[in-house]
Amino acid sequence: MEHEGRPSWDSRAWLIAAGVLVVLLLALLALGRDSPYLVVTVSLIVAAAVIVATWALLRTRAQRRAYEEQLTDWAAEKAAQTERLRIARELHDLASHGLGLMTVRAATANLTEDEEDAERRQALTDIEHLGREATTELRRMLALLRSNGDPPVPLRPIDSLADLPGIVESARRAGLTVTVDQGDLGEVAPGVQLTVCATVREALTNVLQHAGPTAVHLTIQRVHDNISVDARDDGRVPGWRSHPGTGNGLRGLRERLSVHHGTLITGPVDEGFRLLARIPEQAA
């Protein structure tokens, strides 16, 4: 069953060509053997058949290229929608957690009996009420995003900086030689921690696909108000055959970084490849 909006392949070029060839064959049979124009007619029919077959072949190739381009664009858009939904779910979880703590804290503080400070008690009551309303609206927003009929995004725990060693270790088990230089990042917002982990995971996966079990130098540091993730590899392993994906991983990473007004720079450097992401925590 085709997904909604997916391009469909429908070419009638060979059907048209077959019809033309049948007509030419019938015309040839109608002439008979004794026709003085038999040789000329046969030559013309053969030439026409070659022209029609060539036209059908070229048209089919052009239509297939156009179909493949449409299919690639459709797949990229579907991947972007899935990644946006994943980001929305993760940000929903982070925001709901913060709002929940805020609401509980306001409710707890409001339990103290202080009849003289009515204004403070009313403010805490308002904060609690608004916190619960905001949490409800976040849940409705996520339910709306999930209501487009697509399969649900796989659930997984939200990553934090504490998960970085596990991400790196998984890459090492896959064959990469990873060296990590991580500076003191200080306090990092949960959403930025999540993006740092996603960047590291995508960088290491990208190296493994394109360069094989090579060496990767990973630097994670704070530069003023930015968290920087810099991944450089030593180049493709001799004899390694690249296994490029659809490119949706980097597209999804750009989508995620755009939430934080971050930047992503990729390209060759020395003998290898570099991925540099900057995440402005101030904007987050």
Side-chain angles (χ1 to χ4, degrees):
M1 183 179 294
E2 295 185 348
H3 296 285
E4 182 180 358
R6 177 174 178 171
S8 59
W9 168 253
D10 184 18
S11 176
R12 296 184 175 87
W14 285 107
L15 183 61
I16 296 174
V20 173
L21 293 177
V22 169
V23 171
L24 293 176
L25 182 60
L26 292 176
L28 178 61
L29 294 175
L31 288 174
R33 296 181 179 180
D34 300 330
S35 174
Y37 304 105
L38 181 61
V39 175
V40 175
T41 303
V42 169
S43 300
L44 292 175
I45 290 176
V46 170
V50 171
I51 292 174
V52 170
T54 303
W55 168 83
L57 179 63
L58 294 176
R59 181 172 176 81
T60 301
R61 287 182 176 178
Q63 290 176 338
R64 179 170 291 277
R65 281 196 299 268
Y67 166 73
E68 289 174 350
E69 290 175 358
Q70 292 176 359
L71 191 61
T72 300
D73 293 341
W74 174 84
E77 179 61 27
K78 293 290 289 184
Q81 291 176 1
T82 301
E83 186 63 20
R84 288 168 188 165
L85 180 56
R86 186 189 302 281
I87 294 171
R89 181 186 62 80
E90 292 168 342
L91 293 180
H92 161 270
D93 292 343
L94 291 172
S96 295
H97 179 69
L99 283 171
L101 291 178
M102 180 188 72
T103 303
V104 172
R105 183 70 184 89
T108 303
N110 201 22
L111 291 177
T112 59
E113 297 183 2
D114 189 353
E115 299 297 337
E116 297 180 359
D117 196 355
E119 185 176 351
R120 181 184 65 83
R121 291 175 61 83
Q122 183 60 47
L124 290 172
T125 300
D126 292 342
I127 292 173
E128 179 186 358
H129 178 69
L130 291 173
R132 296 187 188 281
E133 282 189 344
T135 302
T136 301
E137 291 303 321
L138 277 173
R139 290 171 181 166
R140 289 174 180 170
M141 178 195 71
L142 191 65
L144 179 63
L145 288 173
R146 287 186 180 276
S147 64
N148 58 359
D150 293 333
V153 177
L155 299 178
R156 66 183 185 194
I158 295 179
D159 291 328
S160 67
L161 294 180
D163 296 299
L164 280 177
I167 296 173
V168 173
E169 185 58 32
S170 295
R172 286 173 177 157
R173 287 197 300 268
L176 292 178
T177 302
V178 187
T179 57
V180 182
D181 181 12
Q182 182 173 334
D184 183 12
L185 302 181
E187 289 291 330
V188 181
V192 176
Q193 294 187 44
L194 178 63
T195 302
V196 168
C197 292
T199 302
V200 171
R201 183 180 282 109
E202 176 59 31
L204 296 178
T205 301
N206 197 55
V207 171
L208 193 59
Q209 287 179 339
H210 292 275
T214 186
V216 185
H217 310 279
L218 183 63
T219 303
I220 307 172
Q221 59 184 344
R222 177 184 289 275
V223 182
H224 304 300
D225 290 330
N226 294 308
I227 303 297
S228 171
V229 178
D230 192 350
R232 305 186 187 201
D233 65 74
D234 288 352
R236 184 180 302 178
V237 172
W240 177 261
R241 183 179 178 182
S242 178
H243 297 80
T246 61
N248 293 329
L250 289 178
R251 291 192 190 97
L253 185 57
R254 292 184 189 278
E255 192 82 31
R256 184 180 292 276
L257 287 168
S258 68
V259 173
H260 302 281
H261 306 285
T263 58
L264 179 65
I265 301 173
T266 60
V269 57
D270 297 330
E271 297 297 324
F273 190 83
R274 182 188 190 191
L275 184 150
L276 174 63
R278 295 190 180 95
I279 311 163
E281 193 179 20
Q282 195 70 19

